[in-house]
C-alpha cells in the first residue's frame, strides 16, 4: 500500500512536506538535513534529483541543484540517498520530483531501482499528461504512485482528469512562474487553490512560492491536504555554506512552528 | 483545408512532442489554434506576404557562384538568405511569429538568441509592430557577438544577460522559458528555431519553408534543373528544414546537414547532436541531445554561436534516421577557411554558421565533381568580423 494513501486517509489531514534537493550541499550533509527535518515533524518528503538545466526552477533551486551536481550527485548516488532515508524511516511517505530526461535515460530499469529504494510516488515537472503514457506504464508496473501537476491555468475539466489520474496525491502549483520563495501569498493563489477543493475530493498538496509558516496555515485553511516548501529551505542551505547546523536549526524551527498549527482546524462560525 | 504541414511527432520513435510544465500546456494549445486559424485567414496571409516583400526584402536570389564553381569543377548555387533584411534567414520566422503574436492579442515578446541573429530579427520586427521585447542571451555570446547586442538595443529591445551554464544558447532558452512560465498571459515566446515543444517545430518550418520554395523554383527557372544536392548548416535547424522542405518529394535530390564539430568530435568541444547525440527529452521535445549517461545536458562548443546548441529539431532527426538526410561534420577551422574562401572568391562574407555549410559543400565537391549543389547561405558574416580578426591576430603571433 502506498504510504501516501495512509497519510491522506483522513480527508482533513494537514500534511507538511518539505522539499530538498538530494545531495545538496553534499551526500552526507543532505542526509543529515533530511533526517533532521523528519525528526522535527515532516509528514512526508518531496525529494528532487538535481538537473543542470531546471527550467521550472528559480535561481534558489537552480543553485541548490548546481551545488548537488558539483558535489558529484548522480542518479545512483541520489537513489542510494533515498534508500538510506527509507531505511531510517520505514513508514514515511516519500515522493520524488524529477525532470523527465533524468528518468527517461534510465529506461525501465530506473523505475525499478527507485521502487527498490522505497520511493512511493513520482512527479515530473516537465511531463504533461499527453506525453506520459510510457512513464505511467513504468510507474504502474513498479507499484509507484503517479503524481500529476495542476497549474493556475489548467482548465477545470482537465484538472479533474489530472486529479483522477493521479495516484498518491496531486501536486498543485500555487501560481505562475518558477519555484522560489515569495514574500507574500497572493489573493490569486488563495482563490485558485480554494477553487480546486470543489473540483475533487482526492488529496492534493500545494507548492511553489510558500516561504512562511503563516502561508502554510493559510493554504491548509483553503482545504488543501498538504503544503510543500522547498526554495525557502534551499536558501537556508545556500546562506550557511560553512555551517549546515545553522540551516538545519532554521529548517527544524520552521517545521516545529508549522506543526504547532497543524492540529488546529479553522473555526467555522 | 489547412495549408500547414502539421505533425506533433516525427517517425516511429515519436521525436518532437510537447514535454513542458503544466503551466505551458494551455499556452501552447492557444498558439497552435491561433496559428491554424491565422494561416488560413486571407488577411493574415496577405499581411505576411506584404511584410516579406516590403520589410524583409524577399524574394532573395539564388545565384551561381561562378568562381567557386570553376575552381571546384562543379555547379555551386547559393540561396542568398544573407540578403534578407537584418542579414539572415531568421526574419522569415520572426515576421510570421510576431504577426501571429499580434493576431493573438499578445502585448509583449520574449525571445532568446545565440549568434544574435534571431535576437536582432525579433527586435527589428517587434520594433515595427511596436511591441516591447526582452531577449535572453548568454554572456559568452554577448561577448562574441557584441555588435548584434547593440543592434538589438538600438531597436529598443532589452537584452538580458544569462550567466548560468556555459552562458550560451541553451542557457538563454532556459531563461526565456522561465520567463514564459511566469508571464503566460500577455507574452508570446518568439522561438528561434524549428525545435522546442509542439507546435514550434512545425510553426517555424512553415514560416521558413519560403527559402526552399523560392530556391526550388529559381533553380528550375534559372538553371533548368533541380540541384543534385542541397546543403544547409544545422544548429537547431530552422534554415535547414526551411530549405529542405520543398525538396522532400524530389527523391533524386540529396539533402545534407553541416554539423558543427568545433575543435573535434572527441570530448565536449563540439555541438554535433545528429552525429554524437543520444535520445533524450529537453527544451520541450524528444530529440537527439548531447548528454552524459545520467541525462545531464552536455556543454557544447562551436565557433558559430548560432550552431552552439546541444540538440536539434525533431524532424531533422527523423529525416536522418530514415536515410533522407546525410550529415557532414565541419570543424571550427574548416569553417573559418570556408569563410575566407567565399569572401575572396565571390565577394560575399558568410556568417560563421553558413561557412559550415560551405565547408561541407566543399567536401562534397572534392568527393564527386559531377554535382549541382544548392547551398543555403543563411546569413552574412559582418557579425563575425571581430571574432575573425581576433583569430587571425592570434594565428599571426
Amino acid at each position: 500500500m502506498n504510504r501516501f494513501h495512509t497519510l491522506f486517509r483522513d480527508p482533513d489531514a494537514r500534511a507538511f512536506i518539505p522539499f530538498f534537493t538530494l545531495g545538496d550541499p553534499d551526500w552526507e550533509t543532505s542526509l543529515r538535513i533530511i533526517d533532521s527535518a523528519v525528526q522535527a515533524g515532516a509528514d512526508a518528503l518531496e525529494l528532487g534529483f538535481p538537473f543542470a538545466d531546471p527550467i521550472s526552477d528559480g535561481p534558489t533551486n537552480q543553485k541548490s541543484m548546481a551545488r548537488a551536481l558539483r558535489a558529484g550527485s548522480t542518479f545512483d548516488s541520489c537513489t542510494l540517498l533515498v534508500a538510506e532515508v527509507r531505511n531510517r524511516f520505514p513508514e514515511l511517505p516519500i515522493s520524488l520530483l524529477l525532470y523527465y530526461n533524468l528518468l527517461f535515460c534510465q529506461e525501465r530499469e530506473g523505475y525499478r531501482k527507485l521502487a527498490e529504494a522505497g520511493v512511493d510516488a513520482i512527479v515530473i515537472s516537465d511531463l504533461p499528461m499527453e506525453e506520459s503514457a510510457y512513464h505511467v506504464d513504468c510507474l504502474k508496473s513498479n507499484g509507484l504512485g503517479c503524481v500529476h501537476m495542476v497549474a493556475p491555468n489548467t482548465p477545470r475539466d482537465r484538472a479533474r482528469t489530472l486529479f483522477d489520474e493521479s495516484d498518491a496525491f496531486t501536486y498543485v502549483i500555487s501560481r505562475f512562474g518558477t519555484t522560489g520563495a515569495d514574500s507574500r501569498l497572493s489573493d490569486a493563489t488563495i482563490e485558485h487553490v480554494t477553487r480546486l477543493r470543489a473540483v475533487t475530493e482526492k488529496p492534493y498538496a500545494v507548492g511553489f512560492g510558500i516561504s512562511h509558516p503563516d502561508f502554510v496555515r493559510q493554504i491548509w485553511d483553503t482545504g488543501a491536504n498538504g503544503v510543500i516548501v522547498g526554495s525557502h529551505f534551499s536558501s537556508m542551505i545556500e546562506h550557511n555554506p560553512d555551517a549546515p547546523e545553522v540551516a538545519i536549526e532554521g529548517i527544524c524551527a520552521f517545521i516545529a512552528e508549522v506543526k504547532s498549527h497543524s492540529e488546529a482546524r479553522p473555526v467555522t462560525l | 483545408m489547412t495549408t500547414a504541414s502539421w505533425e506533433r511527432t516525427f517517425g516511429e520513435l515519436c521525436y518532437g512532442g510537447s514535454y513542458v510544465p503544466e503551466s505551458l500546456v494551455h499556452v501552447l494549445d492557444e498558439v497552435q489554434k491561433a496559428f491554424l486559424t491565422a494561416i488560413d485567414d486571407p488577411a493574415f496571409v496577405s499581411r505576411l506576404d506584404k511584410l516579406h516583400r516590403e520589410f524583409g526584402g524577399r524574394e532573395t536570389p539564388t545565384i551561381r557562384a561562378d568562381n567557386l564553381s570553376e575552381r571546384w569543377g562543379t555547379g555551386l548555387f547559393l540561396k542568398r538568405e544573407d540578403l534578407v533584411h537584418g542579414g539572415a534567414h531568421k526574419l522569415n520566422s520572426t515576421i510570421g511569429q510576431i504577426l501571429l503574436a499580434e493576431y493573438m492579442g499578445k502585448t509583449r515578446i520574449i525571445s532568446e538568441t545565440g549568434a544574435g541573429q534571431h535576437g536582432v530579427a525579433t527586435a527589428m520586427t517587434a520594433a515595427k509592430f511596436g511591441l516591447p521585447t526582452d531577449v535572453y542571451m548568454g554572456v559568452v555570446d554577448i561577448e562574441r557577438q557584441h555588435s548584434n547586442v547593440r543592434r538589438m538595443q538600438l531597436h529598443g529591445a532589452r537584452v538580458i544577460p544569462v550567466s548560468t551554464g556555459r552562458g550560451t544558447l541553451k542557457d538563454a532558452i532556459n531563461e526565456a522559458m522561465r520567463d514564459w512560465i511566469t508571464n503566460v498571459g500577455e507574452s508570446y515566446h518568439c522561438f528561434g528555431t524549428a525545435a522546442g515543444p509542439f507546435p514550434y517545430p512545425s510553426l517555424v518550418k512553415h514560416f521558413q519553408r519560403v527559402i526552399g520554395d523560392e530556391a526550388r523554383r529559381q533553380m528550375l527557372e534559372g538553371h533548368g534543373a533541380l540541384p543534385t544536392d542541397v546543403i544547409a548548416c544545422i544548429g537547431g535547424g530552422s534554415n535547414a528544414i526551411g530549405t529542405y522542405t520543398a525538396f522532400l518529394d524530389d527523391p533524386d535530390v540529396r539533402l545534407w546537414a553541416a554539423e558543427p564539430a568545433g575543435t573535434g568530435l572527441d570530448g565536449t568541444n563540439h555541438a554535433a547532436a545528429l552525429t554524437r547525440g543520444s535520445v533524450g527529452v529537453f527544451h520541450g521535445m524528444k530529440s537527439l541531445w548531447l548528454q552524459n549517461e545520467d541525462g545531464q545536458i552536455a556543454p557544447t562548443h562551436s565557433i558559430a554561436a548560432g550552431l552552439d546548441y546541444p540538440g536539434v529539431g525533431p524532424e531533422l532527426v527523423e529525416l536522418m534516421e530514415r536515410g533522407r538526410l546525410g550529415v557532414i561534420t565541419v570543424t571550427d577551422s574548416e569553417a573559418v577557411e570556408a569563410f575566407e574562401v567565399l569572401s575572396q572568391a565571390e565577394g560575399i562574407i558568410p556568417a560563421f554558421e553558413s561557412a559550415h555549410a560551405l565547408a561541407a559543400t566543399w567536401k562534397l565537391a572534392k568527393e564527386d565533381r559531377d554535382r549541382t549543389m544548392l547551398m543555403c547561405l543563411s546569413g552574412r558574416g559582418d557579425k563575425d568580423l571581430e571574432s575573425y580578426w581576433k583569430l587571425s591576430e592570434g594565428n599571426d603571433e
Side-chain angles (χ1 to χ4, degrees), chain A residues 16-83:
Chain A
F16 181 71
I17 310 173
F19 166 91
F20 299 104
T21 302
L22 289 161
D24 174 24
D26 57 64
W27 200 93
E28 287 78 13
T29 313
S30 183
L31 179 61
R32 269 175 62 203
I33 292 169
I34 294 166
D35 185 283
S36 308
V38 179
Q39 305 277 5
D43 300 295
L45 289 172
E46 181 78 22
L47 300 174
F49 275 43
F51 187 52
D53 297 279
I55 60 156
S56 298
D57 283 291
T60 303
N61 277 347
Q62 289 173 41
K63 282 184 261 180
S64 163
M65 292 191 174
R67 283 193 299 274
L69 290 170
R70 260 200 312 276
S73 288
T74 61
F75 185 88
D76 288 343
S77 76
C78 290
T79 307
L80 198 65
L81 187 45
V82 174

Side-chain angles (χ1 to χ4, degrees), chain B residues 191-211:
Chain B
F191 202 67
T193 188
F198 174 80
Y200 281 98
S202 296
L203 186 151
V204 173
K205 176 176 80 167
H206 178 82
F207 291 130
Q208 288 293 358
R209 66 167 294 163
V210 64
I211 304 173

Side-chain angles (χ1 to χ4, degrees), chain A residues 13-251:
Chain A
R14 302 181 131 209
F16 181 71
I17 310 173
F19 166 91
F20 299 104
T21 302
L22 289 161
D24 174 24
D26 57 64
W27 200 93
E28 287 78 13
T29 313
S30 183
L31 179 61
R32 269 175 62 203
I33 292 169
I34 294 166
D35 185 283
S36 308
V38 179
Q39 305 277 5
D43 300 295
L45 289 172
E46 181 78 22
L47 300 174
F49 275 43
F51 187 52
D53 297 279
I55 60 156
S56 298
D57 283 291
T60 303
N61 277 347
Q62 289 173 41
K63 282 184 261 180
S64 163
M65 292 191 174
R67 283 193 299 274
L69 290 170
R70 260 200 312 276
S73 288
T74 61
F75 185 88
D76 288 343
S77 76
C78 290
T79 307
L80 198 65
L81 187 45
V82 174
E84 181 52 33
V85 175
R86 168 56 68 222
N87 183 38
R88 295 185 182 194
F89 307 102
E91 302 306 320
L92 185 75
I94 299 177
S95 165
L96 299 185
L97 192 148
L98 294 95
Y99 283 87
Y100 189 43
N101 202 40
L102 298 178
L103 203 41
F104 179 81
C105 286
Q106 302 289 329
E107 303 184 352
R108 284 183 184 272
E109 178 63 9
Y111 292 82
R112 195 196 56 76
K113 284 183 189 170
L114 295 178
E116 199 176 87
V119 171
D120 295 299
I122 294 180
V123 53
I124 308 281
S125 51
D126 55 352
L127 185 69
M129 183 175 60
E130 287 76 2
E131 307 290 353
S132 69
Y134 168 78
H135 168 70
V136 170
D137 183 53
C138 291
L139 290 177
K140 281 191 176 149
S141 59
N142 286 285
L144 292 161
C146 174
V147 178
H148 285 296
M149 293 182 123
V150 169
N153 58 348
T154 303
R156 195 182 163 93
D157 285 348
R158 180 181 170 87
R160 188 171 288 124
T161 309
L162 292 166
F163 284 123
D164 287 347
E165 300 284 319
S166 292
D167 197 5
F169 66 98
T170 304
Y171 192 128
V172 170
I173 303 169
S174 71
R175 53 151 171 75
F176 291 114
T178 53
T179 61
D182 295 345
S183 54
R184 58 183 289 272
L185 196 59
S186 77
D187 295 344
T189 291
I190 295 289
E191 275 169 39
H192 153 61
V193 176
T194 306
R195 251 196 327 268
L196 288 173
R197 190 69 283 174
V199 177
T200 188
E201 291 181 351
K202 293 185 75 177
Y204 58 82
V206 179
F208 281 43
I210 302 162
S211 64
H212 193 280
D214 282 345
F215 302 168
V216 176
R217 188 180 44 75
Q218 288 176 58
I219 298 281
W220 275 335
D221 287 351
T222 67
N225 311 85
V227 176
I228 301 167
V229 171
S231 294
H232 183 63
F233 297 150
S234 301
S235 159
M236 291 178 178
I237 297 169
E238 176 187 343
H239 292 118
N240 296 285
D242 302 318
E245 62 281 358
V246 177
I248 289 172
E249 205 173 301
I251 292 164

Side-chain angles (χ1 to χ4, degrees), chain B residues 66-133:
Chain B
D66 289 329
N67 297 328
L68 282 182
S69 293
E70 191 175 331
R71 189 186 299 179
W72 294 351
T74 186
L76 172 60
F77 292 83
L78 304 174
K79 176 58 174 168
R80 296 291 307 275
E81 291 301 293
D82 61 316
L83 296 178
V84 176
H85 179 44
H89 72 290
K90 293 292 187 186
L91 193 80
N92 302 330
S93 169
T94 60
I95 286 176
Q97 290 196 62
I98 293 175
L99 189 59
L100 181 65
E102 190 200 58
Y103 195 80
M104 295 173 71
K106 299 293 177 184
T107 55
R108 171 178 175 254
I109 303 297
I110 306 165
S111 194
E112 71 285 319
T113 196
Q117 289 305 98
H118 177 65
V120 166
T122 303
M124 57 178 36
T125 310
K128 179 155 181 66
F129 280 80
L131 290 170
T133 301

